[in-house]
């Protein structure tokens, strides 16, 4: 049972049940570490228990520039149904997925062929397509799957599409017309319940500090105590700057690496300063980067120090602007 997710689980299970009868599409959005993948797992388990066929895939960063790589991953378990399609659809998918040689098919032909293949699979048995990390799908795959997903509701094809993406991530997957459920951080009571269940030896002071730092993010709630280690978890106090485990470091690093050099320098100055005073940070970055061309440094106005900045949990940067790799002929 996912703590604090009873309402989200009820919504997703209801979607799975409905999609098994009349089809439909649903997207999950939320910050990094908020629990989207866990809810996808729960949806897949519910579908399996109901006798629905489940096809799972996930966007891969290093394949995001390879045309139709994502589509091949999604459709691979269904390729046995190609023989049930008309020859034009079968040929279009064969060429697009690299299974056959031929002239690049038109985008609309590939999109219709995917819809036909999903419908063919759903006619035999209810089908649920689950795709995590939508923003990392290559452009061609995202365009085609968005086309197919938008046409599932009310089609009677017994095909459901359930996808997940991090909030504010750019994507070639067109979400227009598809219902989106935003997954929020855990409430205070649920966050404390999760900490007490997984780390019962935490002292009250340490638990309170971790709850304040994690802000209801389940991944942070589970990773911060591990990074502290058993000795610090049982201590009366913990460091002012909390250590981060490998998974949390990866989340921060992915976002920081995508920032411009000047912004990264500003963040470094903020970490070294530690006060969150913007007046100090402005002076430090002006010294490091130097004055603008043809002018000396500008005097800084007198002002009150700003309150310390608070931590927010990062979201991944938008994927690269790779292009449709098989443009329409003619």
């Amino acid at each position: 049972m996912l703590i604090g997710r009873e309402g989200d689980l009820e919504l997703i299970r209801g979607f799975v049940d409905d999609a098994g009868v009349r089809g439909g599409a649903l997207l999950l959005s939320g910050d990094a570490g908020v629990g989207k993948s866990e809810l996808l797992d729960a949806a897949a388990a519910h579908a399996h228990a109901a006798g629905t066929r489940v096809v799972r895939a996930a966007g891969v960063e290093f394949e995001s520039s390879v045309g139709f790589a994502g589509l091949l991953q999604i459709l691979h378990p269904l390729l046995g149904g190609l023989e049930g399609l008309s020859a034009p659809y079968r040929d279009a998918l064969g060429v697009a997925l690299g299974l056959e040689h031929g002239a690049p098919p038109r985008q609309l032909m590939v999109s219709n062929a995917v819809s036909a293949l999903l419908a063919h699979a759903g006619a035999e048995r209810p089908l649920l397509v689950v795709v995590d990390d939508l923003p990392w799908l290559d452009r061609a795959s995202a365009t085609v799957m968005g086309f197919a997903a938008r046409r599932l509701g009310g089609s009677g094809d017994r095909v459901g599409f359930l996808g997940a993406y991090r909030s504010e991530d750019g994507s070639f997957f067109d979400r227009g017309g598809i219902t989106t459920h935003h997954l929020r951080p855990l409430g205070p009571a649920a966050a404390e319940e999760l900490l007490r269940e997984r780390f019962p030896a935490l002292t009250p002071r340490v638990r309170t500090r971790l709850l304040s730092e994690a802000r209801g993010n389940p991944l942070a709630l589970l990773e911060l105590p591990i990074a502290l280690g058993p000795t610090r978890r049982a201590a009366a106090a913990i460091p002012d700057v909390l250590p981060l485990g490998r998974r949390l470091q990866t989340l921060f690093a992915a976002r920081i690496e995508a920032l411009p050099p000047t912004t990264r320098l500003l963040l470094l100055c903020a970490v070294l300063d530690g006060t969150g005073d913007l007046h100090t940070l402005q002076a430090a970055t002006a010294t490091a980067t130097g004055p603008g061309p043809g002018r000396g440094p500008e005097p800084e106005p007198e002002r009150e120090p700003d309150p310390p900045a608070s931590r927010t949990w990062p979201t991944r940067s938008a994927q690269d602007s790779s292009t449709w790799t098989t443009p329409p002929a003619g």
Side-chain angles (χ1 to χ4, degrees), residues 81-90 93 112-118 120:
L82 282 177
E83 292 303 319
L85 303 184
S86 65
Y89 285 167
R90 186 169 60 248
L93 274 181
N112 283 329
V114 169
S115 294
L117 182 61
L118 295 177
H120 178 77

Side-chain angles (χ1 to χ4, degrees), residues 37 52 55 78 134 137 153 160 185 188 196 220 222 228 271 275 289 298 306 309 313 323:
S37 297
T52 296
V55 172
L78 306 177
L134 282 174
L137 284 182
R196 287 183 180 275
L222 296 175
L228 280 176
V271 171
T275 66
T289 59
E298 298 178 1
D306 291 279
W313 300 104
T323 57

Side-chain angles (χ1 to χ4, degrees), residues 201-203 206 225-239:
L202 289 177
T203 63
V206 172
I226 294 175
L228 280 176
T231 302
R232 286 175 171 174
R233 290 201 295 268
I238 54 179

Side-chain angles (χ1 to χ4, degrees), residues 170-188:
S171 173
F172 292 114
F173 187 94
D174 185 359
R175 302 189 288 267
I178 302 178
T179 300
T180 298
H181 177 64
H182 183 69
L183 197 59
R184 301 185 180 280
L186 296 178

Side-chain angles (χ1 to χ4, degrees), residues 103-127:
R106 294 180 180 273
Q107 177 180 331
L108 183 59
M109 177 65 78
V110 176
S111 300
N112 283 329
V114 169
S115 294
L117 182 61
L118 295 177
H120 178 77
E124 298 177 349
R125 177 183 171 190
L127 172 68

